[in-house]
Amino acid sequence: MKLALVINELNIKGGTHKQLINLTHYLSASGHEVRIYTKHYSPEMYPLSLPNVKVISYEKFFTARSGKLTKYMNFFLGSIRMGSDISNWAELVNIHDNWLLIPNIYIKIFSPSKKVVWQINDLHPAFAIGNSKDGTSNWYNGFVKMVNRWVAKQNDVITVNVTKNKERVQQFLHCNAEVIYCGVDIKNQSLVKHMLNKQKTIHLLSVGVFFRYRNYETVLQVHEELSRQYGLDVKTTIAGSTKLAPDYGKEIKNIIQQKGLNAQVLGEVTDSELDALFNEAHFFLFLNIDQSWGLAVFEAMNYGLPIIVSQSVGAVELLDDSNAVIAAPLDAKQIATEINSLVNDELQYDRLAQNAFSHVSAMTWDKMYSRNVEAIFYKLLDRDAV
């Protein structure tokens, strides 16, 4: 099959990007011809040296230029060019984002028989739900919502990675969606032992591209509670690109500086640096507010880290209190209490770590996600799997 995988940008690292990259590797290994279409591409960050894969970037259209009119004209022209190139080459299109409406519209208008699968990880911010719930209501957002609904109905299949998003697609886009869970990069085949000692520094880790819904301020509040209320020596590390929300990144850094916390914001890290962080940490905190999935949660579990995860994160659909601490995202005091209890109960700490590791051991990308997406492709093109 000639398959076009489309994503808004491929120059930062996040869950959506990892989803597409793992699917790309699987499809290429299965003998399909794959092209990735994106507005921005960093080959240093994603060095794809795969024989059946080509990356087409439209950087010259979407790189910021002076003057709003020029910027908007280039955005429109780049989006049309992308849609045209995809239509002329692909047998099937798989879109991974909510910022690609124009290419999607172009494909369905000028190549109506072209099969399109839309992976929706979050609804467009115009809907002001989930992590965009504080958005404003105006004529522009009303128009964008109308366009999203029209596009969704033209697409052949909509996939989501959590039941919560299936329900939102039904409610707000008035379409059905298929739930396909994400996989996990299984880096460790045996349990990593984290040497926890309450007399030494307790290392908290949180990972994710900076957006306000990451709720990193509560992570820092947990840090304070553990230090002040329980007398623990605490270190906190937050890792994730700040490119998409630089103001929020500055706010978190300011809180750390003003309160004199033993904490750091590392920004974007390499895979080897992230590996070291997972190995060094004692607890992984993912306190996102209404995050659709939470891939980093399962990655941390593969490192045998006890995780504290927000009850509003989609990942809890596959978790329970035997393998995770599920908490209210803003309740720093209760989260600190849970962590302190584990610090003082080595047996329970080790049990939670073992259960976390065991739970994700079979959740590979091929098994959980890529194989199921490929099956949809075969079905839409009325072909038998090889």
Side-chain angles (χ1 to χ4, degrees):
M1 287 187 281
K2 296 170 72 173
L3 305 171
L5 306 186
V6 193
I7 191 166
N8 195 57
E9 76 282 306
L10 209 54
N11 61 353
I12 62 173
K13 290 191 174 183
T16 296
H17 312 88
K18 187 165 289 188
Q19 186 181 55
L20 179 132
I21 292 299
N22 278 282
L23 178 60
T24 298
H25 280 269
Y26 175 86
L27 294 173
S28 177
S30 299
H32 302 295
E33 189 175 356
V34 180
R35 289 187 181 179
I36 297 174
Y37 294 83
T38 183
K39 297 174 184 175
H40 307 282
Y41 176 51
S42 170
E44 296 79 18
M45 193 170 292
Y46 294 101
L48 287 170
S49 54
L50 301 171
N52 295 330
V53 177
K54 182 178 180 181
V55 180
I56 296 94
S57 169
Y58 298 84
E59 197 82 36
K60 65 179 181 180
F61 290 101
F62 297 101
T63 301
R65 291 179 172 84
S66 59
K68 284 189 177 181
L69 182 59
T70 301
K71 179 180 177 180
Y72 291 146
M73 282 296 295
N74 277 283
F75 179 90
F76 181 76
L77 292 173
S79 298
I80 292 296
R81 176 67 178 274
M82 183 187 290
S84 175
D85 290 348
I86 294 168
S87 294
N88 290 332
W89 180 80
E91 294 178 80
L92 184 144
V93 185
N94 185 202
I95 295 177
H96 288 249
D97 245 320
N98 57 31
W99 295 100
L100 293 156
L101 290 177
I102 296 176
N104 199 333
I105 292 169
Y106 184 98
I107 293 165
K108 293 314 280 184
I109 289 179
F110 292 98
S111 301
S113 62
K114 194 80 66 180
K115 302 299 182 182
V116 178
V117 178
W118 187 7
Q119 171 73 39
I120 298 179
N121 292 335
D122 293 293
L123 290 187
H124 194 283
F127 288 93
I129 59 169
N131 52 50
S132 302
K133 65 181 179 180
D134 294 327
T136 57
S137 177
N138 54 40
W139 70 267
Y140 173 76
N141 284 342
F143 173 75
V144 172
K145 287 189 280 188
M146 181 181 68
V147 173
N148 268 269
R149 292 186 182 110
W150 182 85
V151 170
K153 290 176 182 178
Q154 309 313 308
N155 287 182
D156 298 277
V157 174
I158 293 175
T159 56
V160 294
N161 52 22
V162 64
T163 302
K164 176 170 61 177
N165 274 359
K166 175 183 175 71
E167 294 168 351
R168 286 175 173 171
V169 167
Q170 290 172 331
Q171 180 180 357
F172 294 98
L173 299 182
H174 314 310
C175 294
N176 290 322
E178 295 189 30
V179 178
I180 303 179
Y181 293 117
C182 290
V184 182
D185 289 337
I186 306 297
K187 298 288 184 68
N188 302 294
Q189 301 301 323
S190 58
L191 179 66
V192 177
K193 180 70 174 178
H194 297 269
M195 303 307 293
L196 179 66
N197 184 333
K198 68 178 180 178
Q199 304 305 322
K200 296 183 178 181
T201 301
I202 305 302
H203 190 176
L204 310 180
L205 174 65
S206 194
V207 174
V209 175
F210 269 67
F211 294 106
R212 289 197 177 275
Y213 62 81
R214 294 297 186 201
N215 191 27
Y216 287 136
E217 51 268 50
T218 300
V219 173
L220 297 178
Q221 289 172 17
V222 172
H223 177 127
E224 283 190 282
E225 284 290 322
L226 289 170
S227 298
R228 184 177 62 247
Q229 192 69 25
Y230 299 105
L232 296 176
D233 180 12
V234 185
K235 174 185 177 181
T236 297
T237 299
I238 300 171
S241 172
T242 60
K243 289 180 182 178
L244 300 181
D247 290 343
Y248 182 56
K250 290 177 183 177
E251 287 179 25
I252 296 301
K253 291 177 183 178
N254 286 339
I255 292 173
I256 292 171
Q257 185 176 17
Q258 290 168 5
K259 297 192 174 183
L261 303 178
N262 180 18
Q264 58 182 340
V265 173
L266 295 183
E268 193 108 59
V269 295
T270 65
D271 289 343
S272 60
E273 289 170 336
L274 183 59
D275 179 75
L277 289 173
F278 278 134
N279 279 310
E280 294 167 4
H282 296 113
F283 294 93
F284 184 78
L285 279 66
F286 199 80
L287 306 183
N288 290 215
I289 297 173
D290 210 1
Q291 168 72 346
S292 65
W293 184 233
L295 183 58
V297 168
F298 298 103
E299 292 177 341
M301 292 170 74
N302 180 241
Y303 282 81
L305 275 171
I307 62 165
I308 293 82
V309 59
S310 163
Q311 61 194 15
S312 66
V313 170
V316 300
E317 197 167 301
L318 296 182
L319 302 174
D320 58 41
D321 58 10
S322 71
N323 47 49
V325 175
I326 301 172
L330 300 177
D331 196 345
K333 290 186 177 181
Q334 182 58 35
I335 293 168
T337 298
E338 296 279 1
I339 291 174
N340 184 63
S341 295
L342 289 168
V343 169
N344 287 285
D345 189 340
E346 185 177 352
L347 184 63
Q348 180 58 20
Y349 178 92
D350 290 342
R351 183 183 296 119
L352 190 61
Q354 178 64 64
N355 289 348
F357 174 78
S358 300
H359 185 67
V360 301
S361 294
M363 293 175 61
T364 66
W365 276 101
D366 288 1
K367 177 181 177 181
M368 296 288 289
Y369 182 74
S370 301
R371 185 187 304 170
N372 295 317
V373 173
E374 183 192 37
I376 292 174
F377 295 170
Y378 275 120
K379 184 177 179 180
L380 284 175
L381 294 178
D382 195 23
R383 298 181 189 175
D384 295 326
V386 177

